[in-house]
Amino acid sequence: TDQTDTDRGTAIKVHVPRAGTYTVGVRYAADNHATLGIYANDPVQIKTMNLFYSKNGWESWSTSYINLDLNEGDNTITILRRKGAGADKNAANIDYITLTDAILYEAEDAERTVTSNWDMAKDHSGCSGTGFMAGFGSGDKGRGLIFKVPVQRDGVYTVGYRYQSAQTDPKTLHVYVNDLADAHVVNFPTNNRFGDWSEDNWTFTYIDLELK
């Protein structure tokens, strides 16, 4: 999608076994922060996807994720560079998309390892549910969230974390499954301008975990 190619896009037909929320991943390359419009079906459901770039620019492929509500059966997902009001910015190359059945667990509903002086936050827009949990900074050691997640069978599951960060460097958090013996490190790249939380960009980071 070139910077001059406004209203250029691609429509992809997908088939899902049931109606519900699905996570769409778009594999892309970009040399600057770009945006694209994501449309689903009729009536049109539109969301803006942020595509962040790395220092290797066009030679580095990344995946950005967004949740869409899809109908049972056939659906059409359109990726479009929009013009006019709310026009998309900068350019990106698209490789392919992935589709994953998504079950949402809100952070504000999870059990907290620390209960004093740690309440749900609402001071940024764009979050789902009733709010979000902040306070995972360097001075907030010991704060954590416990999610109870039932699975139908043992296996490896892809777990996504929707977040925002305006820190200088990527953040890391540790994830434990069922006990505290083995820690998995999850990376949270910066997705807003440093120090500017007002952008309210929310994106996903993912890790594969073995669940039972």
Side-chain angles (χ1 to χ4, degrees), residues 39-59:
Y39 298 77
N41 297 321
D42 187 19
V44 170
Q45 173 190 175
I46 181 173
K47 293 189 177 182
T48 297
M49 173 171 279
N50 288 283
L51 308 178
F52 297 95
Y53 67 100
S54 71
K55 62 181 180 180
N56 295 322
W58 297 110
E59 302 304 318

Side-chain angles (χ1 to χ4, degrees), residues 4 8 13 19 22 30 83 96 109 112 123 134 147 155 184 197:
T4 60
R8 172 178 286 189
K13 304 288 187 181
Y22 291 81
K83 66 179 181 179
Y96 60 75
D109 296 331
R112 302 167 195 175
D123 56 330
F147 295 88
H184 305 267
W197 295 92

